Amino acid sequence: MAKGNIKVEDIKNEVVRYGNANPMALTPAVLSKEILLNQFAKPLSKVKGKWSFPSILLTNLLQAFSDKWTDYGTAQFNNKVAKNYHLKVNLPINPYDVYGSWVEDLYEEDKTPDKMPISKYIVDMLSGKITSELSTATIVSQYDETQVGSSSPDLRKIMNGIDAVVNGIAADVKNPAFLIPIDAALSNDPIAKVNAFERGLPQGVAIKQILVPLELFFDYVEARETPANETVDYNAAYRKKTKYGRDLIGVPGLTKMIAWVDGNLFRLYDRKDNPAQIDDVQVQDYVMKIFIQFHLGYDFAVNQYVFVESSDAEKKRGLNDAKQNALYYPNELTLTV
C-alpha cells in the first residue's frame, strides 16, 4: 500500500489481526506494577459485580478458673461484601488524522500482522494510557452511578479507589476499621505525626507498609534530614523507611494515613475479560472504533484489619472501643476465597 493511501478498513483489519495474534497485548495495562495497589493486592479472579468475604473475629477469651459459668469473650461473624466495577474504552480513530504524519510510516505491507508497526503502536498506546489512568483512578476515584453512559465521563468517578474504600470503612460503625487518633497538635510536625500513627498500630502484627498523603511524605523526609547544599533524593531507599522500619509510601491524592494486615487487600477482577482485550473494532462514518471492557476493583476482606488515621473527634470509635481493641490480629492473614 502506497503512502497516503491508508484506508480505515485496512487499519481496522491490521488492529484486529494484531489483537488476535497477541491476545495478551493489553496484559500490562491492568496488571502493571506501575499501578500502586497491584504491588500489594492479592488477585481474586472470576468476579463480576460483588464478592463476599466471610470472617470470624474473636475478642479476648482467657480468664481465671472458677467452678461457675462466666460469660466472657465474643465471636463476631462478619460478611464483608466487596465489589468491582465494569469499565470500558471506546476510542475513535480517524485514519485521515494519520495522513502525512510520522505514524503513517509505521504501516509496512511486508510485515506479518503480529509485527505490524501501526497495529502495535495503537495497542501499546492504549495499554500505556489505560495504566496511567488506572494509576490515578485506583487511588482518588469515587464511584458515581450517574457517570454510566455519560458523554463526558470523569476519571475521578468511575470506580471506588482506595481513598474512597478506606473512608467508607472508617465511617462504618457496624463493621469498623481500627481507627488511630492523631492529635491535631501534631499537624505541623510530620515526624511526630507518622510516629504516632505507627505506634498506634497493634503490636506483633504483620504490617509491612504505611501509605501516607504524598505531601506528608515530602514533609516527613525533609523534616528528618535537611542536608546542606544537597538536593533531597526522595527515592532513596533509606528515606522510604519509617523510624520503626516499615515502608513509608507517599501516595498522590490519598487523604489520610492507612495501613493493613498483610494479605488483607484484594484486587477483584474477572479472569475471562481481564487482562483487558480488544472486544471489537468497527468502522462507521470513516472512523475506526475500538471497544475494550473489563472488571476491576480493590477492597479489604476484613475491615477490622485496616488501620486508619482518625481526628480527635473520632477517638471514641475504633481504638478506644474495648471489643475492637481486643480483637485477634493474626501475624499472617489467611482467607479462603
Side-chain angles (χ1 to χ4, degrees), residues 42-101:
K42 289 184 175 182
L44 183 57
S45 62
K46 300 181 182 178
V47 179
K48 280 187 177 180
K50 297 181 180 180
W51 183 266
S52 179
F53 287 106
S55 63
I56 302 175
L57 301 174
L58 297 176
T59 61
N60 290 346
L61 303 176
L62 294 177
Q63 57 178 301
F65 177 79
S66 68
D67 58 1
K68 66 177 182 178
W69 172 261
T70 308
D71 285 336
Y72 182 67
T74 303
Q76 300 180 7
F77 295 85
N78 296 323
N79 185 32
K80 169 71 178 290
V81 177
K83 67 174 294 184
N84 61 14
Y85 299 86
H86 198 175
L87 305 176
K88 71 173 183 175
V89 174
N90 290 166
L91 176 69
I93 295 181
N94 190 328
Y96 293 99
D97 294 336
V98 178
Y99 291 161
S101 72

Side-chain angles (χ1 to χ4, degrees), residues 31-255:
L31 303 185
S32 173
K33 292 298 183 181
E34 292 181 22
I35 300 173
L36 178 65
L37 298 187
N38 286 349
Q39 300 176 27
F40 314 119
K42 289 184 175 182
L44 183 57
S45 62
K46 300 181 182 178
V47 179
K48 280 187 177 180
K50 297 181 180 180
W51 183 266
S52 179
F53 287 106
S55 63
I56 302 175
L57 301 174
L58 297 176
T59 61
N60 290 346
L61 303 176
L62 294 177
Q63 57 178 301
F65 177 79
S66 68
D67 58 1
K68 66 177 182 178
W69 172 261
T70 308
D71 285 336
Y72 182 67
T74 303
Q76 300 180 7
F77 295 85
N78 296 323
N79 185 32
K80 169 71 178 290
V81 177
K83 67 174 294 184
N84 61 14
Y85 299 86
H86 198 175
L87 305 176
K88 71 173 183 175
V89 174
N90 290 166
L91 176 69
I93 295 181
N94 190 328
Y96 293 99
D97 294 336
V98 178
Y99 291 161
S101 72
W102 64 272
V103 179
E104 186 178 6
D105 293 331
L106 295 174
Y107 188 95
E108 300 177 20
E109 283 188 295
D110 59 342
K111 296 286 187 180
T112 57
D114 63 323
K115 296 180 180 179
M116 187 66 68
I118 196 168
S119 306
K120 185 177 186 302
Y121 173 83
I122 291 173
V123 174
D124 287 350
M125 175 184 66
L126 286 169
S127 180
K129 183 59 173 173
I130 290 172
T131 296
S132 175
E133 294 194 3
L134 284 177
S135 295
T136 298
T138 54
I139 301 299
V140 305
S141 185
Q142 183 167 358
Y143 182 68
D144 180 355
E145 61 181 8
T146 64
Q147 288 287 295
V148 177
S150 171
S151 59
S152 55
D154 186 343
L155 182 63
R156 302 175 71 92
K157 298 180 180 180
I158 62 173
M159 65 186 298
N160 271 352
I162 193 68
D163 200 61
V165 169
V166 169
N167 286 337
I169 293 174
D172 189 338
V173 296
K174 182 179 179 181
N175 192 21
F178 189 115
L179 301 179
I180 300 178
I182 302 298
D183 197 306
L186 301 179
S187 59
N188 294 322
D189 189 341
I191 295 179
K193 187 173 182 178
V194 173
N195 289 349
F197 180 83
E198 188 167 22
R199 294 183 67 172
L201 296 171
Q203 299 300 308
V205 181
I207 304 171
K208 293 180 181 177
Q209 61 276 322
I210 298 175
L211 273 59
V212 303
L214 184 60
E215 295 79 6
L216 175 58
F217 173 78
F218 287 151
D219 291 342
Y220 179 85
V221 172
E222 291 176 2
R224 279 182 61 182
E225 59 176 299
T226 53
N229 301 318
E230 181 180 333
T231 301
V232 176
D233 180 6
Y234 294 98
N235 292 318
Y238 72 94
R239 288 191 173 116
K240 294 183 177 181
K241 292 289 185 179
T242 66
K243 181 177 181 179
Y244 303 101
R246 291 186 173 91
D247 293 333
L248 187 68
I249 302 169
V251 184
L254 196 67
T255 59

